[in-house]
Amino acid sequence: MNDRIHRRTQRLSAGDTEFAAEILDAGGTVAIPTETVYGLAADAAADRAVAKIFEAKGRPAGHPLIVHVADADRVGEWADVSDPRVDELARRFWPGPLTLVLPRTDRVSTLVVGDRSTVGVRVPDHPVTHAVLEAFAQVGSGGVAAPSANRFGHVSPTTAAHVLDDLDGRIDAVVDGGPTTVGVESTILELVGREPKLLRPGGVTQEAIEAVLGRSVIDDRSGPSRAAGMLASHYAPAAEVVVVTADEVGDRIDDTVPIAVIGPLPDIDLGSAIGLALPEDSHGYARGLYDALRTADALGVDRILVVPPSTGPLVDAVRDRLAKAASPR
Ligand code: TXA
Ligand code: MG
């Protein structure tokens, strides 16, 4: 970790969007709310600004960042949108939790993408961040690179308080837009060759994308494009994570170890374990998951047993994140 960084992190509210845009234009870092998770934003056209994101997060260079813009019309400034599929997907899913990986333009700072010829772009669906991005387009480039606003490898933040827990004193500001509504990161779809490839499941389902494109999408979440920006262990709390079925919980409770159980809690005696209940439905579950993982850490447990949701549109994304959180470190 780089401990040369000591800043006063300003707490901004939903009304401070122009000020947030000024900080971005001056090359600063601002954590912004989106519908998925909070992002740590900096001017996507400025190397020195983007470098601060990597420093603040402790993120290794070469892990590519997503560029966010206010409206679908602006995506063409950052990526080649000549493929007609871009427009079809944009009309159906933007603003919203879909990131498209497309050939990049020269405007994108090379630090955003490493040596790649592609860039991930999305239009987030959040009124406060929409206003920040609009204001930034008036005074500056209008595009922000923004990874999730957490220390590298940690659980993504779904509230401004989560952001401050990880990054207070390491970033210039955080805009509080309330808790995020989707709760897990965007779906990433690569549209570079003929075959559309799903690099990360998320808020938009593979089926919904296939319905718009009228063809199947290759599941490439462990392929080479993805591997470039991803480690097996990610989205991880400090405690050990074990993914279990509801039926296994009883046998896994061990009164000699501090344990939390997260999920639609089975109707059994949890003994000394702490239950952190999440709704059965996959949307409600995804919305609450990261806060529950952070709460379990704050309670100081050594192990977290997680029961995933069984059905619903966000099951794929939730299971993907849990597998990474449970991966050996
Ligand atoms: O919902 C989200 O996508 C959130 C919010 C803030 O927008 N952002 C987010 O960013 O999850 P991050 O950096 O935590 O994850 C972005 C992932 C990277 O790990 C990388 O694997 C992939 O996107 N990615 C970005 N650009 C890419 C590219 N050109 N090619 C392949 N993968 C790319
Ligand atoms: Mg992240």
Side-chain angles (χ1 to χ4, degrees):
M1 288 298 144
N2 185 335
D3 284 313
R4 287 179 300 131
I5 311 171
H6 291 289
R7 295 194 172 85
R8 204 182 88 73
T9 299
Q10 305 201 56
R11 278 72 166 159
L12 304 184
S13 60
D16 294 325
T17 53
E18 282 178 21
F19 184 50
E22 280 171 33
I23 299 173
L24 290 169
D25 191 44
T29 48
V30 182
I32 52 171
T34 81
E35 76 281 33
T36 59
V37 301
Y38 275 69
L40 179 58
D43 185 348
D47 290 342
R48 288 188 55 198
V50 176
K52 292 179 189 166
I53 294 176
F54 286 86
E55 268 183 85
K57 289 194 55 151
R59 182 174 172 118
H63 285 240
L65 307 177
I66 297 169
V67 174
H68 301 66
V69 292
D71 298 290
D73 311 355
R74 296 191 173 274
V75 171
E77 296 167 23
W78 305 90
D80 176 355
V81 293
S82 57
D83 183 334
R85 296 174 297 184
V86 175
D87 198 43
E88 291 169 28
L89 292 166
R91 267 191 266 179
R92 173 69 180 80
F93 298 116
W94 280 345
L98 176 67
T99 294
L100 295 181
V101 172
L102 300 169
R104 73 189 202 84
T105 65
D106 290 343
R107 195 164 196 201
V108 183
S109 154
T110 51
L111 287 185
V112 171
V113 293
D115 54 10
R116 287 172 189 74
S117 58
T118 59
V119 62
V121 284
R122 88 177 187 96
V123 180
D125 186 11
H126 195 289
V128 174
T129 282
H130 183 262
V132 172
L133 293 172
E134 287 259 278
F136 184 43
Q138 299 304 311
V139 296
S141 81
V144 299
S148 52
N150 50 276
R151 290 287 193 120
F152 182 68
H154 195 210
V155 180
S156 296
T158 55
T159 65
H162 293 166
V163 173
L164 290 167
D165 285 344
D166 276 26
L167 299 175
D168 194 10
R170 303 180 69 85
I171 61 178
D172 293 309
V174 55
V175 184
D176 192 341
T180 64
T181 51
V182 176
V184 291
E185 299 78 0
S186 63
T187 302
I188 304 180
L189 185 75
E190 185 184 271
L191 270 187
V192 176
R194 235 167 46 81
E195 310 271 11
K197 292 181 181 157
L198 182 80
L199 303 188
R200 177 173 75 183
V204 169
T205 64
Q206 182 171 346
E207 295 69 38
I209 294 169
E210 289 174 338
V212 168
L213 295 178
R215 61 163 296 161
S216 60
V217 164
I218 295 172
D219 188 335
D220 199 32
R221 70 183 76 178
S222 35
S225 305
R226 182 72 184 129
M230 199 56 184
L231 306 172
S233 169
H234 217 88
Y235 311 108
E240 176 197 13
V241 174
V242 186
V243 181
V244 296
T245 65
D247 293 341
E248 287 165 351
V249 171
D251 289 343
R252 294 282 194 148
I253 287 176
D254 170 350
D255 285 336
T256 67
V257 182
I259 290 179
V261 184
I262 292 178
L265 296 182
D267 196 12
I268 58 162
D269 179 10
L270 296 179
S272 63
I274 300 164
L276 297 170
L278 290 177
E280 187 68 73
D281 86 279
S282 71
H283 287 282
Y285 189 109
R287 193 176 300 135
L289 175 62
Y290 290 160
D291 184 66
L293 291 170
R294 283 173 177 264
T295 300
D297 266 351
L299 292 167
V301 302
D302 289 345
R303 189 176 302 148
I304 306 174
L305 304 177
V306 190
V307 182
S310 42
T311 55
L314 292 189
V315 168
D316 191 17
V318 166
R319 284 187 170 274
D320 173 79
R321 304 310 186 273
L322 289 176
K324 300 229 158 55
S327 213
R329 303 172 198 164

